[in-house]
Amino acid sequence: DAGITQSPRHKVTETGTPVTLRCHQTENHRYMYWYRQDPGHGLRLIHYSYGVKDTDKGEVSDGYSVSRSKTEDFLLTLESATSSQTSVYFCAISETPNGLDSPLHFGNGTRLTVT
Amino acid sequence: GQSLEQPSEVTAVEGAIVQINCTYQTSGFNGLFWYQQHAGEAPTFLSYNVLDGLEEKGRFSSFLSRSKGYSYLLLKELQMKDSASYLCAVRGRAAGNKLTFGGGTRVLVKP
């Protein structure tokens, strides 16, 4: 199994509060991703990183920011949580940097509820 | 951009064969992936196709037709543990090795 740890696994927060989710990998892989999964929408990319301090937006990036100060850690921040951000958040890493046939491997997810 | 379509649910009996279809549209193509996801768990990688044809891995096979924008996942000798959602995903030519996912097909295996 790919060494990916997400924390926390579950979180309940109130509307308007900032929230940070952490993804930690032990594989030393270059690419890391944050997806959210909602019923009827499947997995949608929020942000991704292709190296330390190198990040880019995905298809649903509004309301989210990311940071990557070390290869092993990729943080996702909800600046001011809204109920529409209630979701399951998955972090993923790419098995082989720049390998087009490399699948993504996913962490166990964080279930976030915004009340 | 990319878009993918999958049926929402398929039901089959234990021991049967089930085919899950995925149609896609993409600007540039660098492969199609299939994932399995049990309820409450993370998606796990099943297969990858980049050339036309069938790839077989034990009870699971995946087929690709690039000209038709079409793939399917074939599950043979269904077992109860195969009850899960199956997600297809496509990799385009944009930077970042990103995958765009379909909505997933829930497979329910009945005894």
Side-chain angles (χ1 to χ4, degrees):
Chain A
D1 289 344
I4 311 169
T5 304
Q6 290 186 234
S7 58
R9 292 296 313 278
H10 301 270
K11 184 165 183 70
V12 179
T13 192
E14 293 184 348
T15 299
T17 60
V19 176
T20 295
L21 309 183
R22 181 182 183 237
C23 179
H24 178 78
Q25 61 144 331
T26 58
E27 307 296 320
N28 200 35
H29 288 325
R30 180 179 171 193
Y31 288 97
M32 298 184 76
Y33 310 82
W34 277 107
Y35 284 84
R36 60 178 289 175
Q37 187 172 37
D38 306 286
H41 290 280
L43 284 158
R44 292 180 292 174
L45 183 65
I46 305 170
H47 282 279
Y48 69 98
S49 171
Y50 47 96
V52 172
K53 297 185 179 173
D54 292 324
T55 65
D56 205 349
K57 295 178 180 179
E59 62 179 304
V60 290
S61 60
D62 287 348
Y64 301 94
S65 62
V66 289
S67 66
R68 191 158 177 211
S69 58
K70 298 184 289 185
T71 298
E72 57 266 35
D73 288 327
F74 192 31
L75 305 180
L76 177 71
T77 297
L78 289 65
E79 306 289 349
S80 176
T82 67
S83 59
S84 65
Q85 293 175 312
T86 292
S87 187
V88 180
Y89 291 85
F90 285 101
C91 174
I93 64 176
S94 192
E95 184 176 48
T96 306
N98 297 319
L100 292 177
D101 62 344
S102 58
L104 301 190
H105 293 288
F106 288 85
N108 288 327
T110 295
R111 183 172 295 275
L112 177 68
T113 302
V114 183
T115 61
Chain B
Q2 289 92 22
S3 66
L4 300 96
E5 292 290 333
Q6 302 179 237
S8 58
E9 189 168 301
V10 172
T11 301
V13 296
E14 207 171 4
I17 299 172
V18 71
Q19 178 174 313
I20 305 165
N21 297 320
C22 173
T23 57
Y24 65 89
Q25 292 184 317
T26 180
S27 52
F29 178 80
N30 274 320
L32 190 132
F33 297 76
W34 283 96
Y35 283 80
Q36 180 190 60
Q37 185 178 24
H38 287 101
E41 298 183 7
T44 56
F45 169 67
L46 286 178
S47 69
Y48 167 77
N49 295 72
V50 67
L51 300 176
D52 291 350
L54 190 68
E55 294 280 343
E56 296 190 77
K57 272 188 181 181
R59 295 189 299 114
F60 293 0
S61 303
S62 56
F63 172 83
L64 176 68
S65 169
R66 289 172 295 171
S67 63
K68 296 182 179 178
Y70 170 68
S71 175
Y72 67 72
L73 181 69
L74 200 65
L75 284 63
K76 295 177 262 188
E77 301 168 18
L78 274 177
Q79 302 176 9
M80 297 300 292
K81 68 179 181 179
D82 297 329
S83 290
S85 289
Y86 292 84
L87 318 175
C88 63
V90 68
R91 174 168 281 155
R93 290 212 180 107
N97 283 1
K98 297 170 289 186
L99 295 186
T100 300
F101 285 83
T105 299
R106 184 182 171 201
V107 172
L108 182 60
V109 181
K110 294 187 173 180

